[in-house]
Amino acid sequence: MGDATSNSAGRARRALIAASLGSFVEGYDLALYGFFAVILSKQFFPPGDPTAALLATFAIFALGFAARPLGGLVFGHAGDRVGRRSALAASILLATVGTLAISILPTYARAGVWASALLLVCRIMQGLSTGGEVAGGNVFVLEHAQAGRPGRFVSANLAGNSLGFAAAAGASLVLAAVLDAPQLASWGWRIPFAVAAPLGLIGVYLRIKVADTPHFQVTAVQLQRFPLLHAVRTATRELLLFAGFAASALLGGYLLIGFLPSYLTRVAGLSTGETFAATLSTVVILAGSLVLGGVLVDRFPPRVVAMATALAMAVTAIPGLLIARQGTLATAILGAALWAVVLGVANTVGASLSLMLFPTPIRFTATALALNVTAALFGGTGPYVSTWLVDSTGNPIAPAVYLTVVALASLAVATALPRTDRGLSEAPAALSLRGL
């Protein structure tokens, strides 16, 4: 009995390492684009109108997110039909190719509009990959988790994503410190994108070596031929609940990582180095908050935790941005940290909901569908819409007002989540095998 328990715990830990490394790479890839958005806008778009170029850069960022639903459906179908492990190995490989390609792209000065088009192709590759990676990684970890610890396991996977953000911020900070502005703008920005290649290949190797989830193996005889159709037909309400709560967490997360760095530079007046330092500090705080969220959903009813975090997000959105825009490194860190603490818990709660809401045979597909459609509508468009709101209204706090409205909508959705008297850890088997 002891050996069996030890072996099970070992498999769970290996699965967590394999999944979290992929999450690390995905977070690293995505954050680099946000951190270098100002530089990319000058490298891949016509000079003369910095705001228009930055908007175009964020538009490509958003179009990458528009590819996420398609990627989610492709990798979700593979994950529910062939296995979680194979789908996740393919997704991280695609992300690695897309990010490495960005590091060698020609600039607008050399290739004209083709440079912009190739950047879009790379972002679409990243978006397709992310569509399977984010949802699939969380499902993989939840289904492998040790009894009593699903929330903490998925929070560790999410923290891997945040540590990828931190690594991107750290690499950006180092480059900003050792290179002068012309060097960073002309060739230095390519270095961190190239680093993604070896990390991604290690992730592919680890995923191939780990076993598929016990829940997928148990339900192999009950696989759905078309899991997407089955999910839409039998879990419509659950899909809407998952998406409705995820909207504010995704919007807030991508404002924090994809929009705030350029906001601190353009509106708050921070230097490039100060912006990277503030972002690095914020992401470390976010990682800790994700782990806190895992403890909370294991111990308390997820519905209650979801309601509390949605309300906290609505309350802190505007004060956080007001503090961050004061123009010093300390206020930037303080304001962003106010967002990060709430968003970390919210994202862990949102990821955990797939275990509550969807049965195993359609879990990957249903989670990917709900998560990626929401990410395309709110997450990927967040930096673009926020930049446009500031530019068109002249109100530097407009992005926080936008986040407040969406958080209030998520609060309303959270009240309709399933009622339980205990935390997620109290009945993981019943939840994960629901509907079989």
Side-chain angles (χ1 to χ4, degrees), residues 73-85:
L73 293 180
V74 171
F75 288 110
H77 181 88
D80 281 333
R81 289 285 301 165
V82 180
R84 313 330 194 184
R85 179 185 64 177

Side-chain angles (χ1 to χ4, degrees), residues 91-255:
S91 72
I92 191 175
L93 180 61
L94 182 62
T96 300
V97 172
T99 305
L100 178 62
I102 291 178
S103 72
I104 60 175
L105 287 181
T107 63
Y108 187 88
R110 292 187 174 184
V113 69
W114 284 106
S116 308
L118 289 171
L119 181 63
L120 175 60
V121 171
C122 293
R123 271 295 299 143
I124 288 176
M125 292 174 67
Q126 290 179 327
L128 290 170
S129 167
T130 303
E133 180 64 40
V134 176
N138 289 335
V139 168
F140 190 72
V141 168
L142 284 167
E143 292 183 352
H144 262 298
Q146 292 175 253
R149 302 174 65 86
R152 276 163 279 197
F153 262 63
V154 78
S155 73
N157 183 56
L158 292 169
N161 189 261
S162 293
L163 291 176
F165 292 156
S172 304
L173 182 59
V174 170
L175 286 172
V178 301
L179 301 178
D180 58 33
Q183 290 174 326
L184 185 62
S186 63
W187 57 267
W189 64 269
R190 297 181 182 274
I191 297 173
F193 285 93
V195 170
L199 294 175
L201 293 177
I202 294 171
V204 172
Y205 174 79
L206 290 177
R207 289 182 175 185
I208 291 174
K209 289 295 184 179
V210 74
D212 218 322
T213 74
H215 299 298
F216 178 79
Q217 295 177 33
V218 168
T219 61
V221 295
Q222 297 175 324
L223 297 179
Q224 297 294 323
R225 185 176 181 184
F226 299 107
L228 173 62
L229 296 179
H230 190 74
V232 172
R233 186 171 63 249
T234 64
T236 303
R237 182 176 183 274
E238 288 79 5
L239 287 167
L240 294 174
L241 289 174
F242 189 100
F245 182 77
S248 59
L250 289 168
L251 174 61
Y254 287 112
L255 289 184

